[in-house]
Amino acid sequence: GELDPLGDGVRCRFLDTKEGEEAVLLIHGMGVSSHMFTHGWNGNYKKDGSPIDALVAAGFRVVAMDARGHGLSDLPPHDRSSYGMKQVEEQIALLDHLGLDKVHVAGYSKGAEVAIKLTTTHPQRVKSLNVGGSGWSYERGWYEKGYARVNDPCDCPCCGGGGGYGCACFAMRYCCPCCAGCIAQCLVGEKPSFAAVAAASKSMDEILNVTEDDLKSIPVPVGAVWGSKDQEREYLERMQPVVPDFTMKVIPDEDHE
């Protein structure tokens, strides 16, 4: 389906499996879409099935939306004011639209950060929080060294520092930034708008602003999973001594993807 969740003219595409006694809200990462929950990285769900397949088989209703500027949703103006906390509020608007009072929330990478912020700002809407690929990076420099730099000129030798939106997805700096678009196309089957990625990324300081007291006040169970080789695992590990009801699982020899 589609809706304009915040009434600002930005229509967002969403999926809803509709059946199930309890609902799970899935929140995708930066530069991708809910496609990642149906097809995975490079189609790697073909063999074992997708997270949505598993959740439906377990009796859950699953909802997931392409965030503004991502996937099949509209592109708002490419400035930070189009994103920020709107990335949380559009998820709440989706729940309102579907008549869902409380849901299990699960997010991956940037989606995990949005899920944490949603849980700390709207705890009455959350039954449990499940995060992977990122976590609590507040005051650890993740915004400054990552999100804030997404459209800095690229300095990798293979593109001669050409810069521009072809290098915008900072996560791809770990491999070959100047090929970020092609890498994204290969991994998730769709090529993101790097102007949208840049604008959304610049606004992520609003999402990452989660204090220790915020985490301590989370009233629901929190589960976390990460790969032992994931460069963002430290942001999940540091949640363990702070969040009251926290369980974790480490997947050996797996990275962020």
Side-chain angles (χ1 to χ4, degrees):
E2 287 189 354
L3 78 154
D4 178 355
L6 301 184
D8 59 357
V10 179
R11 297 196 63 79
C12 294
R13 192 279 303 262
F14 68 90
L15 63 84
D16 178 11
T17 62
K18 297 185 179 180
E19 297 183 358
E21 291 188 6
E22 296 193 0
V24 179
L25 172 66
L26 300 179
I27 306 178
H28 65 77
M30 184 72 76
V32 292
S33 72
S34 53
H35 186 276
M36 71 177 292
F37 298 121
T38 57
H39 292 75
W41 300 101
N42 199 19
N44 61 3
Y45 293 152
K46 292 178 181 178
K47 179 181 178 181
D48 300 319
S50 71
I52 291 179
D53 293 333
L55 288 166
V56 170
F60 290 99
R61 176 180 178 178
V62 181
V63 297
M65 182 167 60
D66 289 356
R68 55 184 49 226
H70 292 69
L72 298 179
S73 294
D74 288 349
L75 296 173
H78 297 313
D79 60 76
R80 60 173 292 143
S81 64
S82 298
Y83 296 92
M85 280 298 293
K86 290 180 179 179
Q87 298 172 95
V88 169
E89 298 306 328
E90 67 185 1
Q91 302 289 340
I92 296 297
L94 173 63
L95 300 183
D96 292 341
H97 173 75
L98 297 175
L100 295 171
D101 181 43
K102 296 185 74 172
V103 298
H104 302 281
V105 179
Y108 188 77
S109 193
K110 186 269 284 186
E113 296 157 354
V114 173
I116 292 169
K117 190 68 172 181
L118 185 155
T119 302
T120 59
T121 55
H122 300 273
Q124 74 280 7
R125 307 301 297 269
V126 181
K127 289 185 176 180
S128 71
L129 170 64
N130 304 272
V131 291
S134 192
W136 184 38
S137 60
Y138 182 56
E139 295 184 335
R140 286 298 178 94
W142 181 230
Y143 175 78
E144 291 78 10
K145 69 185 180 184
Y147 286 122
R149 297 187 59 232
V150 292
N151 58 350
D152 286 357
C154 178
D155 55 5
C156 72
C158 50
C159 73
Y165 287 123
C167 299
C169 187
F170 71 91
M172 300 305 177
R173 293 180 184 274
Y174 292 101
C175 30
C176 178
C178 58
C179 298
C182 296
I183 292 170
Q185 182 79 51
C186 176
L187 287 176
V188 297
E190 56 191 2
K191 192 170 183 175
S193 162
F194 285 112
V197 169
S201 296
K202 295 286 188 182
S203 76
M204 283 298 292
D205 54 331
E206 298 180 28
I207 301 296
L208 300 182
N209 185 6
V210 175
T211 67
E212 182 172 332
D213 286 341
D214 292 333
L215 291 183
K216 287 180 177 179
S217 68
I218 292 178
V220 297
V222 178
V225 59
W226 63 88
S228 63
K229 296 181 179 179
D230 191 336
Q231 69 271 13
E232 295 187 54
R233 68 184 184 276
E234 65 175 285
Y235 306 130
L236 288 160
E237 291 171 339
R238 70 187 290 244
M239 293 175 68
Q240 184 177 15
V242 179
V243 177
D245 186 352
F246 185 86
T247 59
M248 65 179 183
K249 180 177 181 179
V250 180
I251 304 174
D253 301 319
E254 290 293 338
D255 57 20
H256 195 72
E257 284 70 41

